[in-house]
Amino acid sequence: MFIDLVAGFKGLSPFKEATVDDAWDQINRCYVFVFFLLMGAVTTMRQYSGQLIACDGFTKFHAQFAEDFCWSIGMYTVREAYNLPPHMVPYPGVLPWDTPACVPLRFRNGSMSTCPPTQDVMMAEKVFHLWYQWASFYFWIVAILYYTPYVMFKQLGGGEYKQLIKLLSCAPTSTERGMLEIQERVVTWLFFRFKTYIFDKGYYAFWRKNSLSLVIGVTKLSYLLITIVVFYLTGLMFEYDNTMWYRYGAEWYGYHYSPLMERNHTQTFTKDILFPKMVSCEIKRWGPSGVDVETAQCVLAPNVLYQYLFLFTWYLLVAVFFTNLISCFLHTSEMFFSNGTYNRMIDQGMLPNKPSYRFVFMNIGAGGREIVQILTDNSNPLLFSKIFDDLTELLITRSKGSKVMENLNRGISDSSVVDIERSS
C-alpha cells in the first residue's frame, strides 16, 4: 500500500522521462522549481521547530510572552546605528531609539563642543524587520510561479506532443515489426498535420503552422519575466533599503575579497543590515502613570540561516535571468532564421541535403519546425531519417500530385515550388 501511495506522486515529479520543453525551459521547470521547494522545506522546518528568538532585558513581562509578542509585532534596528565604529555601538543597528543626536564633548583646552538646536535635529529612525514571518511562504510561492509556465504551455497545446514523444521512446526496445508500426503511425500523424501547414491558406492556417513556436516563445518569456519580478519583489521585502538586496550577492563577494574591508571597520556588512542577528524590541502597556514602555535586546537566530539561503537565491536568480535571456534570444532567432535550424536538423538526423527535405522544412512554419526538432531530440538518427524520408515523399507525391516532385528534381527553387503547388 505504501509503495502504491509513493507511486501515485510520481506524476508530480518535474523530472519527466518524456518532455516536450527543451533543456533551457527544463532548467526553470525542474532545477529552479526543486531549489525553491527545498528552500521552502528548510525554512518551514526552521521556523516552526526550535527556538526562534531569545530576548533579555524585560523585567515586567514573562519571557515567553515577551518573545511571542516581539516575534508577532516585529523587532527593529536604528538606521543611524549602522556604519559606526564598534566602540560606539554594541552591535550594528542596536542603539537606544531616544539617544540624543548630539552629546557635547570637552576638548583638551577645556572648552566644550556645541550641538545644534534640538528642533533642527531629526529623531533616530526605526527600521522594523517583519519579513522573516513569511520567509517560508516566499519560497513556496516562488516555486509555484516557476512551475506555472509549464502548466500554461501544456494547456495551450504543448501537451498534445507528449504522446508522440512517448511513442518514440518505445522504439529502442521494440521489435522490427514494432519499429515499423511506430514509424507508420508517426508518419501518418505528421502527414495530416504538415499537409495543412503547407497547402492551406488564410489566417487560421498561418496561426496553426506557427502556434507551437509562439506558445514556446510565450513560455520562455514568462520564465524571464517571473525571474525579473521575483528579483524585484524580493528587494521590497526588506525595510531598510530595497536596493541593498539588488547588490547583495555582488557586495558579499566584494566584502570577502576586498583588502579595504580589513581596514574599514566602520562599514556594516549588507548581510548584517538585511539579516540582523541582534535587534531591539519594545513593549508598551498601561501602568500607574500612563503608558509604560520597556525595551530589550533580542537574538534573531533564524537570520544566521536566512542570510545564506537568500545569498544562494540571489546567485540563482541572476544566473537564471541570463539563462532565460539567452533562451529567448535563441528561440527568436530560430523563428526568423530557418536556415540554421534546417542545417541543425540535417546534422542531428544525419540526413542528405535534398531539395525535397528543404522544401518541406521551410514551408511547415515555425511550429512545424519545432515539431521536427522534437523528433530529432527524441529519436535515434536511423529512425528519424526513415520517418522524415517517408513523410517528405507523402507530402510531395500524394498531397497534390507528382508535379512538385518533378520540379524539385529539376532543381527549381522552393518558392517556385510553393507557387506551382498552390496554383494547381
Side-chain angles (χ1 to χ4, degrees), residues 265-316:
H265 298 292
T266 63
Q267 182 72 29
T268 303
F269 291 167
T270 304
K271 64 183 180 68
D272 294 326
I273 297 177
L274 298 180
F275 307 96
K277 288 77 178 177
M278 185 67 72
V279 292
S280 301
C281 181
E282 182 180 273
I283 301 180
K284 299 179 181 180
R285 72 170 185 176
W286 286 106
S289 59
V291 179
D292 193 6
V293 180
E294 190 173 21
T295 305
Q297 292 184 354
C298 301
V299 178
L300 194 56
N303 277 351
V304 177
L305 174 65
Y306 291 162
Q307 66 180 359
Y308 296 108
L309 296 185
F310 277 90
L311 178 66
F312 299 150
T313 301
W314 191 93
Y315 285 122
L316 178 71

Side-chain angles (χ1 to χ4, degrees), residues 109-145:
N109 59 6
S111 61
M112 297 289 294
S113 63
T114 58
C115 292
T118 306
Q119 62 271 18
D120 295 338
V121 180
M122 294 182 60
M123 293 291 294
E125 181 183 354
K126 295 180 181 179
V127 180
F128 283 89
H129 303 273
L130 294 170
W131 63 267
Y132 56 80
Q133 297 177 349
W134 46 280
S136 57
F137 299 101
Y138 162 83
F139 288 110
W140 293 116
I141 293 173
V142 174
I144 294 174
L145 287 177

Side-chain angles (χ1 to χ4, degrees), residues 5 9 25 40 55-56 71 78-79 97 109 240 319 381 396:
L5 180 63
F9 288 94
D25 292 344
C55 298
D56 182 50
W71 176 266
V78 178
R79 185 180 296 272
W97 175 68
N109 59 6
Y240 181 84
I396 294 178

Side-chain angles (χ1 to χ4, degrees), residues 52 71 76 91 99-100 103 114 180 234 272 278 308 328 341 371:
L52 297 175
W71 176 266
Y76 69 90
Y91 302 98
T99 299
V103 178
T114 58
L180 292 175
T234 303
D272 294 326
M278 185 67 72
Y308 296 108
C328 291
T341 55
I371 298 175

Side-chain angles (χ1 to χ4, degrees), residues 224-268:
L224 179 62
L225 293 178
I226 287 174
T227 304
I228 296 174
V229 170
V230 168
F231 192 81
Y232 173 75
L233 293 182
T234 303
L236 298 182
M237 293 195 316
F238 303 102
E239 292 82 356
Y240 181 84
D241 184 4
N242 54 12
T243 60
M244 298 198 72
W245 158 255
Y246 303 142
R247 57 181 188 269
Y248 177 47
E251 289 191 355
W252 181 293
Y253 179 85
Y255 288 154
H256 283 75
Y257 294 97
S258 174
L260 297 177
M261 294 307 299
E262 298 180 1
R263 300 190 298 269
N264 188 6
H265 298 292
T266 63
Q267 182 72 29
T268 303

Side-chain angles (χ1 to χ4, degrees), residues 10-21 26 29-30 147 150 161-170 172-173 374 377-379:
K10 183 178 179 181
L12 300 177
S13 172
F15 301 98
K16 310 288 186 180
E17 295 181 0
T19 58
V20 184
D21 49 350
Q26 289 177 31
R29 178 177 63 84
C30 296
Y147 200 79
Y150 178 68
Y161 302 99
K162 194 170 184 178
Q163 300 301 323
L164 175 64
I165 298 174
K166 289 183 177 180
L167 185 63
L168 293 172
S169 64
C170 298
T173 59
I374 292 174
D377 293 338
N378 294 274
S379 59

Side-chain angles (χ1 to χ4, degrees), residues 359-371:
F359 163 75
V360 171
F361 189 83
M362 295 298 178
N363 290 279
I364 55 179
R369 290 191 285 271
E370 292 290 347
I371 298 175

